[in-house]
Amino acid sequence: MLQAGAVHEPVLPRSSNKPLQAAAMVRCGLGLDGKLLALAAASHSGEDFHVAGVREILAGAGLSEDDLQCPPGLPIDEPAQQAMIRRGAPPDRVHMNCSGKHAAMLATCVAAGWPTGSYRDPAHPLQAEIRRTIERLASQPVTAVGVDGCGAPLFALPVSGLARAFRAMVLSDQGSPERAVADAMRTYPDWTSGTTRPERALMDAVPGLLLKSGAEGVEAFALADGRAGAFKIDDGAGRARPPVTVALLRALGADAEPGADVSALERVALAEVLGGGQRVGEIRVVIGAR
């Protein structure tokens, strides 16, 4: 086991909790699968197919964009963002990167017969079940409850517990809610992030890899056989997250897995530092056990 830093101290995993939240939603009756289930666990880029998927989830539950309680946002994907700005469209909730999760939360409430107007309340039956699911998968209690950037409850875990939860997801029985979410994300990584995001590139490069990033420099992942890891970068910046992730995957032997795309891993691992538009350095990862 490789560990460094305060791995047993609670952190706020941000969007790295989304696969666990989605598993809880399926347990509560969410009837999505495939691409739309991947979108339920996504921090999507706001590309056209993401937005269409969010609207499909809402329409299937008899709801509309007006029911979303995430804040308005612009697409993460730069071409989609620029296109939206050029046509004079203001930020809206359906383009916000957490809208897939929020749409799925609403659809779960409809399926379970719960109120939709209060779905973000930590005392809501949906959020109570999400908390229980996270605690079960992490094999430890949630230590604090905050509010995520999207307005939904945010349950704190140490990175060690987050890694255990991702391990539990990939090792769950075929047909279980946890396995359904893991399989959907691994089959459709572009729906979980975006067509040009490092998360998509990493899951394409390593067969069977489940991976989800979170704001403030968080990453959690698990290989198909249960080898898993998670980390949080102290300063909260995401610039070092891709090279750190690749370094840890290599430490777990992911680059030796059958079908692994070593060159793709190398591309993700390269984090250039630019000055005046020219390369003046790079971020390098040094791993040492403590």
Side-chain angles (χ1 to χ4, degrees):
M1 180 176 65
L2 174 68
Q3 66 179 50
V7 299
H8 302 301
E9 294 298 319
V11 301
L12 296 173
R14 302 297 299 269
S15 288
S16 291
N17 272 352
K18 283 179 177 173
L20 320 181
Q21 293 170 310
M25 290 186 250
V26 175
R27 285 199 170 275
C28 292
L30 180 65
L32 302 179
D33 58 15
K35 296 173 180 178
L36 295 184
L37 183 53
L39 185 60
S43 298
H44 67 74
S45 291
E47 297 169 74
D48 287 347
F49 66 93
H50 295 131
V51 174
V54 173
R55 289 173 174 153
E56 184 176 346
I57 293 172
L58 290 168
L63 301 169
S64 73
E65 296 172 43
D66 292 337
D67 294 292
L68 292 170
Q69 294 182 21
C70 55
L74 289 169
I76 293 174
D77 180 73
E78 187 170 351
Q81 182 183 115
Q82 292 302 316
M84 195 168 170
I85 292 171
R86 282 195 300 271
R87 65 176 181 265
D92 60 30
R93 289 181 172 83
V94 75
H95 282 89
M96 195 266 174
N97 74 90
C98 297
S99 63
K101 178 183 77 174
H102 281 254
M105 285 182 170
L106 284 163
T108 303
C109 290
V110 171
W114 294 329
T116 57
S118 57
Y119 75 91
R120 295 185 305 155
D121 188 331
H124 190 283
L126 171 63
Q127 301 302 336
E129 181 56 36
I130 287 174
R131 177 172 182 160
R132 283 191 290 269
T133 298
I134 288 175
E135 291 179 330
R136 176 175 53 81
L137 293 172
S139 299
Q140 65 182 109
V142 165
T143 54
V145 182
V147 181
D148 211 338
C150 67
L154 177 56
F155 300 106
L157 287 173
V159 292
S160 56
L162 187 60
R164 280 195 299 273
F166 271 64
R167 170 182 167 85
M169 292 280 293
V170 299
L171 295 182
S172 293
D173 292 338
Q174 192 76 36
S176 67
E178 292 78 14
R179 185 63 177 275
V181 171
D183 288 349
M185 292 178 66
R186 291 183 289 190
T187 304
Y188 303 104
D190 51 337
W191 285 75
T192 301
S193 55
T195 55
T196 62
R197 296 261 291 279
E199 297 94 325
R200 186 260 176 93
L202 286 166
M203 284 203 279
D204 281 344
V206 181
L209 175 66
L210 174 68
L211 179 143
K212 185 69 190 74
S213 62
E216 307 298 328
V218 180
E219 192 95 280
F221 54 86
L223 298 171
D225 62 3
R227 286 172 288 168
F231 64 86
K232 183 189 187 309
I233 297 170
D234 277 348
D235 69 0
R239 62 190 179 275
R241 185 168 57 206
V244 170
T245 301
V246 173
L248 292 174
L249 287 171
R250 286 170 171 162
L252 290 175
D255 53 345
E257 288 292 298
D261 187 339
V262 176
S263 62
L265 289 174
E266 290 175 350
R267 287 192 296 272
V268 174
L270 178 60
E272 296 181 330
V273 178
L274 302 179
Q278 296 181 334
R279 178 177 175 176
V280 297
E282 64 183 48
I283 296 172
R284 296 181 180 176
V285 180
V286 178
I287 295 180
R290 294 185 181 179

